[in-house]
């Protein structure tokens, strides 16, 4: 893949993330409550707003996205973001799972004061996102500035009634993390 193709794929992936996670209505697209959009409708709506998509390009983005952010339905007619939604119209029913003993949350050092006052909250998204390993948490945290990794006592939280889920791409999800269940890694 040449540099221009890689940049085009990155732009397309970011466009799909924005539309499928946050603002489908910005191009007139409708998602169902599980986050699915008809691929044909996505292509048509995107075209009306100056973004050229086709099934092959969408399939390539889904297959090559390093974070596995998207899924195509078994019938190959629909697409969705697997997690990270901020639109209130989407409420994916993830299956509850027992988490590992420890999970990790990558963030920027500038957020630590707030985190240690109020815990980790989902903000505009539906869930707090957690990683099963430190390298993934580092990648996530680096997007926001100087990275710091928080160690989360996930199994202890689960034993006390907190619910955990895992998205198709392996990201662990929970509604919030109180301060007493985290420490700097």
């Amino acid at each position: 893949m040449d540099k221009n193709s890689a940049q085009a794929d990155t732009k397309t992936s970011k466009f799909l993330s924005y539309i499928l996670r946050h603002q489908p209505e910005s191009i007139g697209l409708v998602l169902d409550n599980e986050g699915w959009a008809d691929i044909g409708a996505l292509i048509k709506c995107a075209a009306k707003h100056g973004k050229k998509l086709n099934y092959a390009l969408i399939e390539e983005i889904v297959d090559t996205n390093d974070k596995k952010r998207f899924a195509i339905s078994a019938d190959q007619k629909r697409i969705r973001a697997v997690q990270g939604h901020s639109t209130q119209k989407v409420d994916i029913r993830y299956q509850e799972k027992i988490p590992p003993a420890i999970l990790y949350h990558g963030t920027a050092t500038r957020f630590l004061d707030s985190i240690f006052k109020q815990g980790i909250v989902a903000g505009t998204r539906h869930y707090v996102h957690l990683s099963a390993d430190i390298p993934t948490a580092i990648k996530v945290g680096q997007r926001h500035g100087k990275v710091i990794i928080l160690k989360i006592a996930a199994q202890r939280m689960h034993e006390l009634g907190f619910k955990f889920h895992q998205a198709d791409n392996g990201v662990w999800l929970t509604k919030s993390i109180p301060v007493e269940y985290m420490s700097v890694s």
Side-chain angles (χ1 to χ4, degrees):
M1 180 182 293
D2 66 21
K3 186 177 177 183
N4 288 339
S5 290
Q7 288 174 337
D9 284 357
T10 298
K11 283 184 177 183
T12 301
S13 180
K14 286 182 178 187
F15 172 79
L16 290 175
S17 285
Y18 176 72
I19 296 303
L20 297 174
R21 294 166 105 185
H22 309 297
Q23 292 289 322
E25 62 278 359
S26 69
I27 63 168
L29 187 67
V30 176
L31 306 180
D32 70 14
N33 64 340
E34 288 286 319
W36 293 108
D38 179 82
I39 293 174
L42 170 61
I43 292 168
K44 286 177 187 170
C45 289
K48 287 180 187 174
H49 288 81
K51 183 71 176 172
K52 291 182 181 179
L53 295 176
N54 59 53
Y55 188 87
L57 176 59
I58 291 169
E59 188 174 44
E60 178 184 338
I61 298 299
V62 171
D63 289 345
T64 61
N65 184 271
D66 61 340
K67 295 179 182 170
K68 300 295 178 200
R69 284 191 169 133
F70 313 106
I72 292 179
S73 62
D75 66 5
Q76 306 292 299
K77 294 181 181 178
R78 299 175 300 148
I79 184 172
R80 75 173 175 186
V82 298
Q83 43 66 227
H85 299 87
S86 63
T87 177
Q88 295 306 308
K89 293 178 181 177
V90 173
D91 187 18
I92 297 175
R93 292 180 302 258
Y94 297 105
Q95 185 175 358
E96 190 175 337
K97 289 185 107 176
I98 298 171
I102 302 295
L103 289 170
Y104 302 93
H105 183 76
T107 191
T109 56
R110 71 178 188 268
F111 299 133
L112 276 184
D113 286 343
S114 173
I115 287 172
F116 278 104
K117 284 181 187 161
Q118 66 181 10
I120 304 172
V121 296
T124 60
R125 298 194 182 186
H126 296 222
Y127 295 97
V128 171
H129 297 180
L130 302 168
S131 304
D133 59 79
I134 291 173
T136 302
I138 289 170
K139 280 185 192 176
V140 172
Q142 285 175 331
R143 296 181 309 172
H144 305 291
K146 185 177 178 195
V147 72
I148 190 147
I149 304 302
L150 299 174
K151 189 171 158 181
I152 309 303
Q155 192 170 55
R156 200 166 94 222
M157 286 178 63
H158 176 74
E159 289 167 358
L160 293 171
F162 289 85
K163 294 181 183 345
F164 285 82
H165 312 277
Q166 193 173 29
D168 294 346
N169 61 357
V171 173
W172 284 90
L173 309 167
T174 193
K175 290 290 185 180
S176 65
I177 303 179
V179 174
E180 60 267 28
Y181 301 103
M182 67 179 90
S183 61
V184 174
S185 180

